[in-house]
Amino acid sequence: MIRLGSDDEIDDSGASVGSAEVTVDGAGIAVIKLSGEIDMSNVDSLRDVIEPVVQETHDRVDFDLGALAFMDSSGIALLLRVAAKAGSVHLRGPSALVRRMIEATGLSDVLFIDP
């Protein structure tokens, strides 16, 4: 498992903190658990953790969003970047807000929301 970030939502400088934990499930699918907050202040650090996983995975990457408190458009852009490189991206446990954002923008054809 690879982990970036901490459990605190705001660091000492006032910037948002998000984390990414990478595991592989029983079916051999890479699962990236995002938690905390993802915005333009920390998305580059998260991308550094996620990119190597995407380079090794050629057909599917799952994101577990159950512990994600907030995600702005830079987080959506990160998911789309992964979708462009991986065969498919599935989202597990997105909040109602994230689900609506993906569906309203027509991205549910690219970012598949698992029930």
Side-chain angles (χ1 to χ4, degrees), residues 76-96:
I76 296 291
L78 175 65
L79 296 176
L80 290 172
R81 184 175 183 155
V82 172
K85 294 180 178 185
S88 68
V89 169
H90 291 250
L91 306 178
R92 300 177 182 181
S95 68

Side-chain angles (χ1 to χ4, degrees), residues 2 21-24 29-32 47-58 60-63 82 86:
I2 302 169
E21 293 180 19
V22 180
T23 58
V24 177
I29 297 169
V31 178
I32 302 169
R47 185 180 303 117
D48 291 343
V49 171
I50 293 168
E51 286 290 331
V53 176
V54 175
Q55 290 175 359
E56 293 178 18
T57 305
H58 299 288
R60 179 174 170 169
V61 175
D62 283 15
F63 283 89
V82 172

Side-chain angles (χ1 to χ4, degrees), residues 38-40 43 71-80:
I38 299 175
D39 61 24
M40 61 186 288
V43 74
M71 179 169 61
D72 70 4
S73 60
S74 60
I76 296 291
L78 175 65
L79 296 176
L80 290 172

